[in-house]
């Protein structure tokens, strides 16, 4: 299925002599209140959406990486949104310029497919006999994952409560006006360095001519 989807998305589009650009971002976060994501607002306007479903380990992230690499090879600008729990994994891929988005639908961030969306079920790539053999172990792993995730959220809530107590002590004694003043000074220094660097490049080019 992965190779078939790559062929489907890039039919007639040849490898480009200029490699495309990629931008790596996060669209989800694990907060003290609950998991949150902004990705629905990103893919909402997209005309072509692929929803990738499947059990853990069925190759959803691998499929997204293959598609992203194929797009880069053909000169596209690609946005890759990574998993907050495992930053090495991509959760969503957007091929900018032609309104194409591919997103994983998996807890805790699920995407409900619309009537025009294409659903890719990675479970179809698995061997039912092997999956059935380890079904009980898979259920235990999923239950343990959920248990650990809920425990992590409890720790985040406790950390947030401790942080709020600390803020109640130091916020009333902070001079935010001086912080803003320092921010402007640092910004002006950075801009001055940038202007000096540009001027140096211009002088160097003038001397070469």
């Amino acid at each position: 299925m992965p190779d078939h989807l790559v062929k489907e998305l890039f039919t007639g589009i040849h490898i480009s002599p200029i490699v495309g650009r990629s931008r790596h971002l996060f669209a989800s976060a694990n907060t003290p209140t609950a998991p949150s994501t902004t990705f629905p607002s990103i893919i909402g306007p997209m005309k072509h959406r692929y929803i990738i479903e499947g059990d853990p380990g069925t190759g959803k992230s691998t499929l997204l990486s293959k598609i992203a690499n194929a797009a880069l090879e053909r000169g596209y600008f690609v946005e890759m949104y990574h998993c907050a729990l495992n930053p090495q994994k991509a959760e969503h891929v957007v091929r900018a310029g032609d309104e194409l988005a591919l997103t994983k639908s998996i807890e805790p961030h699920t995407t409900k497919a619309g009537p025009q969306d294409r659903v890719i079920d990675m479970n179809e790539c698995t061997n039912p006999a092997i999956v059935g053999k380890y079904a009980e172990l898979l259920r235990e792993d999923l239950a343990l994952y959920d248990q650990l995730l809920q425990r992590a959220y409890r720790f985040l809530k406790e950390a947030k409560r401790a942080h709020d107590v600390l803020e109640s002590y130091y916020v009333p004694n902070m001079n935010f006006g001086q912080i803003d003043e320092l921010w402007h000074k640092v910004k002006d220094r950075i801009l001055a360095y940038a202007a000096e660097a540009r001027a140096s490049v211009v002088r160097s080019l003038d001397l070469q001519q």
Side-chain angles (χ1 to χ4, degrees):
M1 182 182 293
D3 292 334
H4 290 303
L5 185 56
V6 171
K7 290 179 181 178
E8 175 184 326
L9 294 175
F10 299 99
T11 298
I13 305 174
H14 301 292
I15 302 296
S16 172
I18 301 176
V19 178
R21 293 188 303 112
S22 62
R23 187 182 183 205
H24 297 261
L25 307 155
F26 288 97
S28 60
N30 298 296
T31 72
T33 53
S36 64
T37 180
T38 59
F39 199 70
S41 64
I42 298 172
I43 67 171
M46 298 291 177
K47 290 183 179 179
H48 309 288
R49 306 197 314 176
Y50 288 75
I51 313 300
I52 303 173
E53 300 176 345
D55 294 332
T58 52
K60 299 180 295 296
S61 298
T62 301
L63 175 60
L64 286 177
S65 296
K66 281 191 172 187
I67 292 171
N69 289 333
L72 291 171
E73 289 175 347
R74 289 159 177 80
Y76 284 97
F77 172 58
V78 177
E79 291 183 347
M80 298 184 68
Y81 295 84
H82 292 262
C83 174
L85 287 175
N86 187 352
Q88 301 301 318
K89 286 190 172 184
E91 285 188 312
H92 325 284
V93 170
V94 173
R95 197 170 74 184
D98 56 357
E99 300 183 337
L100 171 68
L102 300 99
T103 177
K104 287 166 35 178
S105 181
I106 186 172
E107 294 290 349
H109 305 296
T110 58
T111 302
K112 185 177 180 181
Q116 305 300 322
D117 295 338
R118 169 90 176 274
V119 177
I120 305 297
D121 186 0
M122 296 301 292
N123 287 336
E124 295 177 2
C125 301
T126 60
N127 186 325
I130 296 177
V131 173
K133 181 179 178 180
Y134 297 100
E136 183 60 30
L137 182 59
L138 290 171
R139 282 192 291 269
E140 291 178 4
D141 287 344
L142 286 173
L144 181 59
Y145 168 79
D146 183 67
Q147 178 184 346
L148 293 174
L149 194 61
Q150 296 307 318
R151 186 181 183 189
Y153 289 138
R154 289 198 300 272
F155 286 146
L156 282 174
K157 289 179 181 179
E158 292 176 11
K160 177 65 167 60
R161 283 194 291 268
H163 178 268
D164 291 343
V165 171
L166 288 174
E167 276 198 333
S168 69
Y169 296 135
Y170 64 74
V171 167
N173 299 294
M174 291 181 66
N175 187 327
F176 290 99
Q178 285 188 348
I179 293 175
D180 290 339
E181 183 179 343
L182 179 60
W183 177 84
H184 285 292
K185 287 182 179 179
V186 172
K187 181 198 68 173
D188 291 341
R189 286 181 65 187
I190 293 173
L191 293 177
Y193 289 145
E196 182 179 342
R198 285 195 299 269
S200 176
V201 171
V202 172
R203 287 195 297 270
S204 176
L205 292 175
D206 289 342
L207 290 174
Q208 292 177 8
Q209 293 177 356

